[in-house]
Amino acid sequence: MEVKSQLLDLKPYQPGKPIEEVKKEFGLDRIVKLASNENPYGSSPKVKQAIEEEISRLALYPDGYSAQLRTALSARLGVGEEQLIFGNGSDEVVQIICRAFLDGLSNTVMATPTFPQYRHNAVIENAEIREVPLKEGKHDLDAMLKAIDDYTKVVWVCSPNNPTGTYAGREELDRFLKAVPSGVLVVLDEAYYEYVTAEDFPDTIAYLNAYPNVMILRTFSKAYGLASLRIGYGIGEKSLIQRIEPAREPFNTSRIAQAAALAALDDQEFIGSCRERNKQGLEQYYRFCKEMNLSYYPSEGNFILIDFNKDADVLFRKLLEKGYIVRSGAALGFPSSLRITVGSEQENNEIISLLKTIL
Ligand SMILES: *Cc1c(COP(=O)(O)O)cnc(C)c1O
């Protein structure tokens, strides 16, 4: 049996080392995992109660339209209910977009390094991948514009960008969107939107009226702290959403996920406090970098990419032995950097002192 030839070049997703395995391997009893940009404060306490209430209905299929969550989210975002599409994580919305738009005759433009799922799903659809190197850690929107041609179907802008934490400012994104041909879908992946504090971060929802070819992706996995439940969403113009809906599985988000997301959405105080604590956590790393003379990208996410001028895998290993799991930049296109998720103040202090002894 032969799979599609393009699959032969793809590796399945490599998950980080499981906590239990690391404990055993190094004889540790406490592990701090700062590798997947998960929320160190968990999720809103309201979530637990919502899940408990939903748990008696597990035998019933979920609402394939996510009506309750849809109503609440559309009110919060100030968009129409028909402007939303929900996915099994925003990862699935990436997959839906690729299924809906890409084929062997089309190409898709993205930055490199960026979030790997755009490329991964586009390869499966057999599209040509056009990767445009970051410029000083940021999307090079001018170069991305030049990479667009008559066969381009989708352009991906990850902002804040994973793994650099950089973002596309209002002015440059304005200019970019004006110049992109209207037949090309521009996907703005804002997985870290809730953490952003930059003043010139664009109000991208306002773009949707002017640009029917724009789609925004957001998720409940990061600041909302629901990564394990797998629920994210896309926001776009009504007819765009209508056209891609057939590529979505009918029951792609679970009852538990919908109920949890609804409760999480209702606790904006929790989100505000996570944003504030994350900002203070980033400051801890900035001070450390300045003290140690290390270069880094100022981040609008809940992670920071720091260049240690050393083999990232070796450094990763040294931290792992002590029970701290971070992400080596080697697999992310930054062989001398680590991507560290911002943890609690205490966790950040621990990792910073450990790094100081290692360096
Ligand atoms: C984490 C992440 C996602 C995926 O999140 P889901 O858990 O699938 O919702 C999407 N984009 C970026 C840039 C991410 O870092």
Side-chain angles (χ1 to χ4, degrees), residues 58-248:
L58 293 186
L60 306 176
Y61 277 104
D63 170 9
Y65 193 62
S66 310
Q68 268 189 298
L69 177 60
R70 183 180 295 273
T71 303
L73 189 58
S74 74
R76 164 148 295 282
L77 300 173
V79 301
E81 295 194 5
E82 288 151 314
Q83 289 188 265
L84 298 171
I85 182 169
F86 291 94
N88 191 257
S90 54
D91 271 353
E92 195 202 10
V93 187
V94 171
Q95 183 188 352
I96 291 169
I97 291 168
C98 290
R99 285 182 76 182
F101 288 97
L102 300 178
D103 57 25
L105 301 172
S106 51
N107 70 62
T108 181
V109 174
M110 63 194 72
T112 185
T114 190
F115 187 59
Q117 289 303 306
Y118 319 138
R119 183 181 201 285
H120 188 95
N121 285 286
V123 167
I124 293 174
E125 302 305 333
N126 212 13
E128 181 203 332
I129 316 291
R130 298 191 171 179
E131 294 179 296
V132 178
L134 298 176
K135 203 167 141 189
E136 287 153 22
K138 291 187 59 175
H139 279 55
D140 185 348
L141 293 180
D142 291 334
M144 288 176 75
L145 198 57
K146 288 194 186 114
I148 295 172
D149 67 13
D150 291 347
Y151 300 95
T152 305
K153 290 287 182 67
V154 183
V155 178
W156 308 85
V157 178
C158 186
S159 180
N161 186 45
N162 183 358
T164 53
T166 54
Y167 68 103
R170 192 180 299 127
E171 262 180 58
E172 54 178 325
L173 195 61
D174 278 353
R175 253 186 291 125
F176 179 72
L177 291 178
K178 277 197 189 106
V180 172
S182 61
V184 176
L185 177 68
V186 180
V187 179
L188 306 174
D189 184 349
E190 298 185 336
Y192 300 95
Y193 175 78
E194 294 79 9
Y195 284 115
V196 169
T197 58
E199 301 240 318
D200 69 331
F201 193 87
D203 172 12
T204 48
I205 288 182
Y207 286 131
L208 298 177
N209 291 323
Y211 300 104
N213 61 323
V214 167
M215 190 154 160
I216 301 162
L217 305 186
R218 292 187 189 165
T219 181
F220 287 98
S221 296
K222 302 287 159 61
Y224 284 100
L226 301 180
S228 70
L229 294 178
R230 315 303 305 128
I231 185 159
Y233 57 99
I235 321 162
E237 191 255 331
K238 183 175 146 185
S239 82
L240 168 66
I241 299 295
Q242 246 168 17
R243 278 173 288 153
I244 66 172
E245 267 284 345
R248 181 181 70 80

Side-chain angles (χ1 to χ4, degrees), residues 283-299:
E283 294 293 341
Q284 287 177 271
Y285 287 99
Y286 296 162
R287 283 194 297 273
F288 160 68
C289 290
K290 278 171 194 149
E291 194 185 322
M292 303 297 283
N293 217 358
L294 299 167
S295 64
Y296 64 93
Y297 295 113
S299 174

